Amino acid sequence: MDDFGVDLDEIARVIERADVLVMRFQVIEKRLLVDFRTSEAEGPLIKAVPPASSVEERFRSLKALRPDFPLPERILSFMWPRGLGSFQEAGLLDMLQKRLISVGSEAVDGAVRESYAELLAEERETVRAAIRGGEGFQTIWERGT
């Protein structure tokens, strides 16, 4: 374990070896789906996706996103126990980006930034809702009048 509460070496090994990877985050519902597989016609994929209710649903959603690819043998997954800022600070976003570029091209860089920005926006909205007592949250104190 390290300062981030996870084994970064193990996560690095997963990022380097996985064909398909799903990352879950502490505060938000969306997942980060990364498919490192490529063909002559299609490069790797990185996308913020909604949670799946089962493993079977995740495989179906992957097939819908990547119909020209066979289903992978497995989809690896891990939970990042902290905020998205610490995910980037730990160097994991850079690791993903480097691996995606190594199997695809520099064009993947925009998709990495776009997916990460989408997740950050959801995290901000979730935190804002928690502070304000929005849907799914309850405030623990109220302003006196």
Side-chain angles (χ1 to χ4, degrees):
M1 292 292 173
D2 65 1
D3 292 342
F4 295 101
V6 294
D7 185 342
L8 288 178
D9 291 334
E10 182 61 29
I11 291 174
R13 282 189 289 278
V14 169
I15 289 171
E16 283 303 313
R17 293 183 190 147
D19 286 334
V20 180
L21 177 61
V22 175
M23 284 150 279
R24 298 171 291 136
F25 299 94
Q26 182 73 22
V27 176
I28 60 175
E29 288 196 18
K30 282 189 180 172
R31 302 341 188 190
L32 187 60
L33 171 68
V34 184
D35 187 341
F36 295 103
R37 299 172 300 160
T38 63
S39 68
E40 285 190 25
E42 211 170 334
L45 172 80
I46 182 168
K47 185 173 180 64
V49 296
S53 61
S54 66
V55 172
E56 293 80 12
E57 182 184 337
R58 178 58 67 211
F59 275 96
R60 280 193 303 275
S61 69
L62 179 61
K63 188 63 177 172
L65 285 170
R66 310 274 277 174
D68 295 333
F69 286 91
L71 287 174
E73 258 185 56
R74 64 183 175 206
I75 297 175
L76 297 178
S77 177
F78 68 85
M79 168 69 136
W80 182 252
R82 308 211 30 215
L84 284 159
S86 66
F87 182 79
Q88 186 174 17
E89 288 169 22
L92 297 177
L93 192 62
D94 287 340
M95 281 184 221
L96 285 172
Q97 187 172 27
K98 285 176 185 169
R99 170 112 193 266
L100 285 164
I101 289 170
S102 76
V103 299
S105 72
E106 294 285 333
V108 156
D109 187 49
V112 171
R113 283 194 308 268
E114 181 181 311
S115 298
Y116 187 69
E118 185 178 337
L119 295 173
L120 276 174
E122 182 177 335
E123 184 179 66
R124 278 192 292 275
E125 284 303 311
T126 301
V127 170
R128 188 175 292 127
I131 291 168
R132 293 181 176 162
E135 186 177 333
F137 296 97
Q138 185 176 358
T139 58
I140 56 174
W141 67 87
E142 293 183 22
R143 180 184 302 182
T145 54

mmCIF file of all heavy atoms in Angstrom, residues 87-121:
data_model
loop_
_atom_site.group_PDB
_atom_site.id
_atom_site.type_symbol
_atom_site.label_atom_id
_atom_site.label_comp_id
_atom_site.label_asym_id
_atom_site.label_seq_id
_atom_site.Cartn_x
_atom_site.Cartn_y
_atom_site.Cartn_z
ATOM 1 N N PHE A 87 -6.183 10.162 -8.729
ATOM 2 C CA PHE A 87 -5.970 9.186 -9.807
ATOM 3 C C PHE A 87 -4.929 9.744 -10.783
ATOM 4 O O PHE A 87 -3.994 9.056 -11.178
ATOM 5 C CB PHE A 87 -7.301 8.914 -10.510
ATOM 6 C CG PHE A 87 -7.244 7.891 -11.603
ATOM 7 C CD1 PHE A 87 -7.238 6.541 -11.299
ATOM 8 C CD2 PHE A 87 -7.232 8.268 -12.929
ATOM 9 C CE1 PHE A 87 -7.201 5.578 -12.303
ATOM 10 C CE2 PHE A 87 -7.199 7.327 -13.947
ATOM 11 C CZ PHE A 87 -7.179 5.985 -13.627
ATOM 12 N N GLN A 88 -5.088 11.016 -11.116
ATOM 13 C CA GLN A 88 -4.129 11.661 -12.011
ATOM 14 C C GLN A 88 -2.791 11.883 -11.310
ATOM 15 O O GLN A 88 -1.731 11.623 -11.883
ATOM 16 C CB GLN A 88 -4.687 12.977 -12.526
ATOM 17 C CG GLN A 88 -3.803 13.623 -13.560
ATOM 18 C CD GLN A 88 -4.433 14.857 -14.176
ATOM 19 O OE1 GLN A 88 -5.373 15.429 -13.649
ATOM 20 N NE2 GLN A 88 -3.893 15.263 -15.306
ATOM 21 N N GLU A 89 -2.827 12.347 -10.055
ATOM 22 C CA GLU A 89 -1.595 12.593 -9.292
ATOM 23 C C GLU A 89 -0.758 11.325 -9.142
ATOM 24 O O GLU A 89 0.471 11.380 -9.122
ATOM 25 C CB GLU A 89 -1.926 13.128 -7.898
ATOM 26 C CG GLU A 89 -2.435 14.543 -7.878
ATOM 27 C CD GLU A 89 -3.004 14.921 -6.520
ATOM 28 O OE1 GLU A 89 -2.648 14.276 -5.504
ATOM 29 O OE2 GLU A 89 -3.815 15.852 -6.478
ATOM 30 N N ALA A 90 -1.417 10.187 -9.031
ATOM 31 C CA ALA A 90 -0.709 8.910 -8.883
ATOM 32 C C ALA A 90 -0.063 8.458 -10.192
ATOM 33 O O ALA A 90 0.659 7.467 -10.215
ATOM 34 C CB ALA A 90 -1.672 7.834 -8.381
ATOM 35 N N GLY A 91 -0.331 9.184 -11.279
ATOM 36 C CA GLY A 91 0.267 8.846 -12.567
ATOM 37 C C GLY A 91 -0.508 7.826 -13.374
ATOM 38 O O GLY A 91 -0.072 7.402 -14.441
ATOM 39 N N LEU A 92 -1.695 7.430 -12.897
ATOM 40 C CA LEU A 92 -2.448 6.381 -13.586
ATOM 41 C C LEU A 92 -3.029 6.861 -14.913
ATOM 42 O O LEU A 92 -3.067 6.102 -15.882
ATOM 43 C CB LEU A 92 -3.551 5.842 -12.680
ATOM 44 C CG LEU A 92 -3.030 5.179 -11.409
ATOM 45 C CD1 LEU A 92 -4.176 4.734 -10.515
ATOM 46 C CD2 LEU A 92 -2.124 4.005 -11.733
ATOM 47 N N LEU A 93 -3.464 8.106 -14.964
ATOM 48 C CA LEU A 93 -3.980 8.632 -16.229
ATOM 49 C C LEU A 93 -2.874 8.653 -17.280
ATOM 50 O O LEU A 93 -3.097 8.263 -18.431
ATOM 51 C CB LEU A 93 -4.575 10.029 -16.019
ATOM 52 C CG LEU A 93 -5.391 10.572 -17.175
ATOM 53 C CD1 LEU A 93 -6.606 9.699 -17.449
ATOM 54 C CD2 LEU A 93 -5.822 12.003 -16.894
ATOM 55 N N ASP A 94 -1.675 9.045 -16.877
ATOM 56 C CA ASP A 94 -0.531 9.032 -17.802
ATOM 57 C C ASP A 94 -0.206 7.615 -18.262
ATOM 58 O O ASP A 94 0.116 7.390 -19.427
ATOM 59 C CB ASP A 94 0.710 9.650 -17.148
ATOM 60 C CG ASP A 94 0.616 11.157 -17.023
ATOM 61 O OD1 ASP A 94 -0.184 11.778 -17.750
ATOM 62 O OD2 ASP A 94 1.342 11.712 -16.185
ATOM 63 N N MET A 95 -0.278 6.647 -17.335
ATOM 64 C CA MET A 95 -0.015 5.250 -17.708
ATOM 65 C C MET A 95 -1.010 4.778 -18.759
ATOM 66 O O MET A 95 -0.624 4.132 -19.745
ATOM 67 C CB MET A 95 -0.123 4.334 -16.487
ATOM 68 C CG MET A 95 1.060 4.324 -15.594
ATOM 69 S SD MET A 95 0.779 3.088 -14.284
ATOM 70 C CE MET A 95 1.415 3.978 -12.887
ATOM 71 N N LEU A 96 -2.285 5.089 -18.532
ATOM 72 C CA LEU A 96 -3.317 4.698 -19.499
ATOM 73 C C LEU A 96 -3.044 5.345 -20.853
ATOM 74 O O LEU A 96 -3.105 4.685 -21.890
ATOM 75 C CB LEU A 96 -4.700 5.133 -19.015
ATOM 76 C CG LEU A 96 -5.319 4.335 -17.891
ATOM 77 C CD1 LEU A 96 -6.589 5.015 -17.400
ATOM 78 C CD2 LEU A 96 -5.625 2.919 -18.350
ATOM 79 N N GLN A 97 -2.759 6.627 -20.824
ATOM 80 C CA GLN A 97 -2.517 7.367 -22.052
ATOM 81 C C GLN A 97 -1.318 6.800 -22.820
ATOM 82 O O GLN A 97 -1.398 6.580 -24.027
ATOM 83 C CB GLN A 97 -2.288 8.831 -21.710
ATOM 84 C CG GLN A 97 -2.202 9.732 -22.910
ATOM 85 C CD GLN A 97 -2.167 11.183 -22.481
ATOM 86 O OE1 GLN A 97 -1.733 11.520 -21.386
ATOM 87 N NE2 GLN A 97 -2.630 12.047 -23.356
ATOM 88 N N LYS A 98 -0.231 6.512 -22.132
ATOM 89 C CA LYS A 98 0.961 5.965 -22.783
ATOM 90 C C LYS A 98 0.682 4.601 -23.406
ATOM 91 O O LYS A 98 1.109 4.317 -24.524
ATOM 92 C CB LYS A 98 2.118 5.870 -21.794
ATOM 93 C CG LYS A 98 2.730 7.218 -21.489
ATOM 94 C CD LYS A 98 3.813 7.112 -20.432
ATOM 95 C CE LYS A 98 4.305 8.508 -20.074
ATOM 96 N NZ LYS A 98 5.149 8.533 -18.903
ATOM 97 N N ARG A 99 -0.045 3.768 -22.687
ATOM 98 C CA ARG A 99 -0.355 2.438 -23.240
ATOM 99 C C ARG A 99 -1.279 2.568 -24.433
ATOM 100 O O ARG A 99 -1.095 1.899 -25.451
ATOM 101 C CB ARG A 99 -0.982 1.551 -22.161
ATOM 102 C CG ARG A 99 -1.552 0.249 -22.731
ATOM 103 C CD ARG A 99 -0.818 -0.989 -22.313
ATOM 104 N NE ARG A 99 -1.211 -2.128 -23.113
ATOM 105 C CZ ARG A 99 -2.148 -3.010 -22.794
ATOM 106 N NH1 ARG A 99 -2.786 -2.915 -21.639
ATOM 107 N NH2 ARG A 99 -2.428 -4.012 -23.603
ATOM 108 N N LEU A 100 -2.294 3.428 -24.339
ATOM 109 C CA LEU A 100 -3.212 3.618 -25.468
ATOM 110 C C LEU A 100 -2.473 4.136 -26.697
ATOM 111 O O LEU A 100 -2.712 3.673 -27.819
ATOM 112 C CB LEU A 100 -4.334 4.578 -25.084
ATOM 113 C CG LEU A 100 -5.406 3.984 -24.170
ATOM 114 C CD1 LEU A 100 -6.234 5.086 -23.535
ATOM 115 C CD2 LEU A 100 -6.289 3.012 -24.945
ATOM 116 N N ILE A 101 -1.563 5.069 -26.505
ATOM 117 C CA ILE A 101 -0.789 5.610 -27.627
ATOM 118 C C ILE A 101 0.126 4.525 -28.201
ATOM 119 O O ILE A 101 0.275 4.409 -29.413
ATOM 120 C CB ILE A 101 0.003 6.860 -27.192
ATOM 121 C CG1 ILE A 101 -0.975 8.031 -26.971
ATOM 122 C CG2 ILE A 101 1.063 7.226 -28.222
ATOM 123 C CD1 ILE A 101 -0.359 9.253 -26.319
ATOM 124 N N SER A 102 0.685 3.681 -27.332
ATOM 125 C CA SER A 102 1.603 2.636 -27.819
ATOM 126 C C SER A 102 0.887 1.594 -28.677
ATOM 127 O O SER A 102 1.497 1.021 -29.568
ATOM 128 C CB SER A 102 2.321 1.955 -26.650
ATOM 129 O OG SER A 102 1.472 1.047 -25.975
ATOM 130 N N VAL A 103 -0.388 1.348 -28.420
ATOM 131 C CA VAL A 103 -1.124 0.366 -29.228
ATOM 132 C C VAL A 103 -1.940 1.025 -30.333
ATOM 133 O O VAL A 103 -2.396 0.355 -31.246
ATOM 134 C CB VAL A 103 -2.053 -0.534 -28.369
ATOM 135 C CG1 VAL A 103 -1.253 -1.329 -27.368
ATOM 136 C CG2 VAL A 103 -3.149 0.258 -27.699
ATOM 137 N N GLY A 104 -2.126 2.335 -30.238
ATOM 138 C CA GLY A 104 -2.927 3.047 -31.221
ATOM 139 C C GLY A 104 -2.129 4.141 -31.883
ATOM 140 O O GLY A 104 -1.226 3.891 -32.662
ATOM 141 N N SER A 105 -2.463 5.367 -31.520
ATOM 142 C CA SER A 105 -1.752 6.519 -32.077
ATOM 143 C C SER A 105 -1.964 7.720 -31.164
ATOM 144 O O SER A 105 -2.726 7.661 -30.202
ATOM 145 C CB SER A 105 -2.279 6.837 -33.480
ATOM 146 O OG SER A 105 -3.579 7.392 -33.389
ATOM 147 N N GLU A 106 -1.312 8.809 -31.498
ATOM 148 C CA GLU A 106 -1.458 10.051 -30.736
ATOM 149 C C GLU A 106 -2.902 10.540 -30.749
ATOM 150 O O GLU A 106 -3.299 11.309 -29.883
ATOM 151 C CB GLU A 106 -0.538 11.137 -31.309
ATOM 152 C CG GLU A 106 0.936 10.841 -31.158
ATOM 153 C CD GLU A 106 1.448 11.036 -29.743
ATOM 154 O OE1 GLU A 106 0.884 11.838 -28.989
ATOM 155 O OE2 GLU A 106 2.432 10.369 -29.392
ATOM 156 N N ALA A 107 -3.701 10.127 -31.720
ATOM 157 C CA ALA A 107 -5.093 10.563 -31.831
ATOM 158 C C ALA A 107 -5.905 10.184 -30.597
ATOM 159 O O ALA A 107 -6.920 10.808 -30.296
ATOM 160 C CB ALA A 107 -5.730 9.975 -33.082
ATOM 161 N N VAL A 108 -5.476 9.182 -29.870
ATOM 162 C CA VAL A 108 -6.163 8.723 -28.668
ATOM 163 C C VAL A 108 -6.102 9.768 -27.555
ATOM 164 O O VAL A 108 -6.951 9.812 -26.681
ATOM 165 C CB VAL A 108 -5.546 7.375 -28.226
ATOM 166 C CG1 VAL A 108 -5.717 7.084 -26.777
ATOM 167 C CG2 VAL A 108 -6.125 6.257 -29.053
ATOM 168 N N ASP A 109 -5.108 10.642 -27.610
ATOM 169 C CA ASP A 109 -4.908 11.650 -26.573
ATOM 170 C C ASP A 109 -6.170 12.474 -26.308
ATOM 171 O O ASP A 109 -6.524 12.719 -25.157
ATOM 172 C CB ASP A 109 -3.734 12.557 -26.958
ATOM 173 C CG ASP A 109 -3.371 13.524 -25.849
ATOM 174 O OD1 ASP A 109 -3.219 13.072 -24.700
ATOM 175 O OD2 ASP A 109 -3.251 14.728 -26.135
ATOM 176 N N GLY A 110 -6.866 12.891 -27.341
ATOM 177 C CA GLY A 110 -8.098 13.670 -27.173
ATOM 178 C C GLY A 110 -9.176 12.871 -26.466
ATOM 179 O O GLY A 110 -9.918 13.406 -25.630
ATOM 180 N N ALA A 111 -9.292 11.604 -26.778
ATOM 181 C CA ALA A 111 -10.300 10.748 -26.140
ATOM 182 C C ALA A 111 -9.991 10.556 -24.665
ATOM 183 O O ALA A 111 -10.905 10.492 -23.841
ATOM 184 C CB ALA A 111 -10.375 9.397 -26.848
ATOM 185 N N VAL A 112 -8.720 10.480 -24.311
ATOM 186 C CA VAL A 112 -8.326 10.346 -22.903
ATOM 187 C C VAL A 112 -8.756 11.597 -22.145
ATOM 188 O O VAL A 112 -9.408 11.518 -21.108
ATOM 189 C CB VAL A 112 -6.801 10.118 -22.756
ATOM 190 C CG1 VAL A 112 -6.374 10.196 -21.297
ATOM 191 C CG2 VAL A 112 -6.401 8.781 -23.363
ATOM 192 N N ARG A 113 -8.417 12.764 -22.684
ATOM 193 C CA ARG A 113 -8.780 14.030 -22.029
ATOM 194 C C ARG A 113 -10.295 14.194 -21.931
ATOM 195 O O ARG A 113 -10.816 14.626 -20.909
ATOM 196 C CB ARG A 113 -8.160 15.208 -22.772
ATOM 197 C CG ARG A 113 -6.676 15.375 -22.487
ATOM 198 C CD ARG A 113 -6.154 16.728 -22.938
ATOM 199 N NE ARG A 113 -6.482 17.050 -24.324
ATOM 200 C CZ ARG A 113 -5.704 16.780 -25.367
ATOM 201 N NH1 ARG A 113 -4.567 16.176 -25.181
ATOM 202 N NH2 ARG A 113 -6.072 17.115 -26.573
ATOM 203 N N GLU A 114 -11.007 13.847 -22.992
ATOM 204 C CA GLU A 114 -12.467 13.986 -23.007
ATOM 205 C C GLU A 114 -13.122 13.073 -21.968
ATOM 206 O O GLU A 114 -14.002 13.500 -21.225
ATOM 207 C CB GLU A 114 -12.992 13.658 -24.404
ATOM 208 C CG GLU A 114 -14.490 13.799 -24.553
ATOM 209 C CD GLU A 114 -14.941 13.438 -25.962
ATOM 210 O OE1 GLU A 114 -14.337 13.937 -26.932
ATOM 211 O OE2 GLU A 114 -15.890 12.648 -26.074
ATOM 212 N N SER A 115 -12.690 11.838 -21.895
ATOM 213 C CA SER A 115 -13.259 10.885 -20.932
ATOM 214 C C SER A 115 -12.981 11.329 -19.502
ATOM 215 O O SER A 115 -13.864 11.288 -18.643
ATOM 216 C CB SER A 115 -12.680 9.488 -21.155
ATOM 217 O OG SER A 115 -13.011 9.010 -22.431
ATOM 218 N N TYR A 116 -11.753 11.761 -19.258
ATOM 219 C CA TYR A 116 -11.374 12.210 -17.914
ATOM 220 C C TYR A 116 -12.169 13.464 -17.530
ATOM 221 O O TYR A 116 -12.652 13.569 -16.407
ATOM 222 C CB TYR A 116 -9.865 12.456 -17.846
ATOM 223 C CG TYR A 116 -9.375 12.769 -16.454
ATOM 224 C CD1 TYR A 116 -9.372 11.792 -15.466
ATOM 225 C CD2 TYR A 116 -8.925 14.036 -16.115
ATOM 226 C CE1 TYR A 116 -8.923 12.071 -14.179
ATOM 227 C CE2 TYR A 116 -8.464 14.324 -14.841
ATOM 228 C CZ TYR A 116 -8.475 13.340 -13.879
ATOM 229 O OH TYR A 116 -8.038 13.624 -12.598
ATOM 230 N N ALA A 117 -12.333 14.384 -18.464
ATOM 231 C CA ALA A 117 -13.110 15.604 -18.195
ATOM 232 C C ALA A 117 -14.565 15.262 -17.866
ATOM 233 O O ALA A 117 -15.170 15.873 -16.976
ATOM 234 C CB ALA A 117 -13.036 16.551 -19.389
ATOM 235 N N GLU A 118 -15.122 14.288 -18.553
ATOM 236 C CA GLU A 118 -16.500 13.856 -18.282
ATOM 237 C C GLU A 118 -16.631 13.295 -16.865
ATOM 238 O O GLU A 118 -17.572 13.602 -16.140
ATOM 239 C CB GLU A 118 -16.927 12.818 -19.323
ATOM 240 C CG GLU A 118 -18.369 12.393 -19.211
ATOM 241 C CD GLU A 118 -18.784 11.411 -20.283
ATOM 242 O OE1 GLU A 118 -18.150 11.359 -21.369
ATOM 243 O OE2 GLU A 118 -19.760 10.674 -20.052
ATOM 244 N N LEU A 119 -15.655 12.483 -16.469
ATOM 245 C CA LEU A 119 -15.670 11.927 -15.116
ATOM 246 C C LEU A 119 -15.480 13.020 -14.065
ATOM 247 O O LEU A 119 -16.158 13.020 -13.026
ATOM 248 C CB LEU A 119 -14.589 10.859 -14.969
ATOM 249 C CG LEU A 119 -14.761 9.601 -15.823
ATOM 250 C CD1 LEU A 119 -13.531 8.720 -15.707
ATOM 251 C CD2 LEU A 119 -16.019 8.841 -15.461
ATOM 252 N N LEU A 120 -14.587 13.966 -14.320
ATOM 253 C CA LEU A 120 -14.370 15.082 -13.387
ATOM 254 C C LEU A 120 -15.641 15.912 -13.219
ATOM 255 O O LEU A 120 -15.985 16.313 -12.101
ATOM 256 C CB LEU A 120 -13.240 15.987 -13.880
ATOM 257 C CG LEU A 120 -11.827 15.580 -13.549
ATOM 258 C CD1 LEU A 120 -10.837 16.515 -14.235
ATOM 259 C CD2 LEU A 120 -11.584 15.548 -12.058
ATOM 260 N N ALA A 121 -16.346 16.164 -14.319
ATOM 261 C CA ALA A 121 -17.592 16.935 -14.250
ATOM 262 C C ALA A 121 -18.617 16.205 -13.396
ATOM 263 O O ALA A 121 -19.321 16.820 -12.573
ATOM 264 C CB ALA A 121 -18.133 17.193 -15.658
#
